[in-house]
Amino acid sequence: MSSEFISAIGEHMVIVLASVAIASALGIGLGILSYWKKSLGTIIITICELIQTIPSLALLAMLMIIFGLGNVTMGSALVLYALLPIVRNTHTALSQLPPALIDAARGMGMSRSQRLVKVEIPLSIPMIFGGIKVALVNSLSIAVMGVLIGAGGLGYIVYRGIQQQNMGRIILGAIPVVIGALLFDWLLGNVEKRLAKHARL
Amino acid sequence: MATIMKHGPELLISLGQHITLTLAAVGMGIIIAVPLAILLTRHKKLAPVVLALASTIQTIPGLVMLGLALVISGVGVKPALFVLTIYSILPVLQNTYTGINEVLPAYKDAAKGLGMTKSQVLMKVELPLALPAMASGVRISAVYIVSWATLAGMVGAGGLGDWIWTGLSTYNTTYILFGAVPSALLAVLLSTGFGALESALTPRGMRRTS
């Protein structure tokens, strides 16, 4: 029981962290793209918003038709859901930078990619990080649904509890999710504040 | 196509159940959240506690809440409605609270200066100005609840989730799509609808020129 529980926590965390890592890379890229090309940006963000509104059971079931049962399907759903907060925060952070700074960088002869890497991204990091935090906290809770499409993690404990009408097991499966969400929110929130202090203009 | 024709009436019934369940839960959520939010703006010390509690409840996965409701009160619409109502409270509560709090003191002072009583200030100044924020909260709630309502099939409350459940357990792609596509469309439609309502409720002079 206890080793099953611990391995479920481990698997849950691995699925969530891997998905959010992939979503961060993808989301920051899309955020930069939507900052560089405004018209494309509107389309990207609208699509991300649309994905976000699709009910999780519906998205999971549809992805299962494509990817089959298992952790890959769960991971791809988590990546899709995590995109919106990351893309939106990246886009907003970059768009809100004072034009004077960007002009100064341009005046120093920096190219577009140099400006991005040396000026724009460093100043946007706190807000991008905030987006990743939101994505991570949401993913922890959504990942519980994974059991329905044959993925591992804490959902398995919860679902077994439901089938056995065992309240203790259901709650046992939920506790790490809630504690994890609160803990990540608090920890990453602190890191975010630290980063903001460093990146202050 | 033939399958759609054959299952059409059943699908419509499920869609009806889904919409009814969603609207009932969001409606009850509003009835609970708005007075509570008004109360919190009058008792600011309570606000952080209540809001923190509500957002902690929000982190509990839907599968867990429905599972607990199933174990405690058995199969049916009631446990589903109860759980969905709980989930619909937070967004409305948070947005109503913020919306009322963000009304500029100058407006309230002006209203007071006109001789309005406290309840008049609330009804004629604070609430109307907070309406767009409240509508946005209702929108978030509605999208959430459409999503969680697909899980309600698990506790036998019907709705589009039934099709997805049946499809998942028998590996029937058609059934999955019959449940998934309408519920996704419903969510998008509700979100756009409430989004339009939100901008319609914003007083003309206060619309952002972006």
Side-chain angles (χ1 to χ4, degrees), chain B residues 22-41 50-51 54-55 58 84-101 127 130-145 194 197:
Chain B
T22 304
L23 292 183
V26 175
M28 293 202 343
I30 296 174
I31 292 173
I32 298 170
V34 173
L36 188 59
I38 294 172
L39 198 74
L40 290 185
T41 56
V50 176
L51 287 174
S55 51
Q58 205 78 7
L84 295 179
T85 302
I86 290 182
Y87 277 121
S88 72
I89 292 175
L90 176 72
V92 183
L93 180 68
Q94 211 158 32
N95 277 35
T96 308
Y97 178 75
T98 320
I100 293 179
N101 260 352
L127 280 182
L131 263 185
M134 287 160 77
S136 146
V138 173
R139 186 183 79 174
I140 299 169
S141 258
V143 172
Y144 244 49
I145 300 306
F194 277 113
L197 186 70

Side-chain angles (χ1 to χ4, degrees), chain B residues 51-63:
Chain B
L51 287 174
L53 188 73
S55 51
T56 308
I57 291 176
Q58 205 78 7
T59 60
I60 303 174
L63 197 64

Side-chain angles (χ1 to χ4, degrees), chain A residues 50-71:
Chain A
L50 275 179
I51 294 173
Q52 197 81 12
T53 47
I54 299 175
S56 34
L57 186 61
L59 185 67
L60 278 175
M62 289 193 281
L63 286 173
M64 196 202 72
I65 296 174
I66 305 170
F67 296 116
L69 295 168
N71 288 347

Side-chain angles (χ1 to χ4, degrees), chain A residues 146-163:
Chain A
V147 62
L148 304 176
I149 44 113
L154 289 160
Y156 182 72
I157 309 259
V158 172
Y159 201 66
R160 282 283 288 281
I162 295 173
Q163 284 175 331

Side-chain angles (χ1 to χ4, degrees), chain A residues 83-104:
Chain A
L83 277 182
L84 180 67
I86 300 173
V87 173
R88 188 153 56 188
N89 276 30
T90 307
H91 174 83
T92 313
L94 290 173
S95 308
Q96 279 177 351
L97 291 175
L101 278 171
I102 294 159
D103 284 342

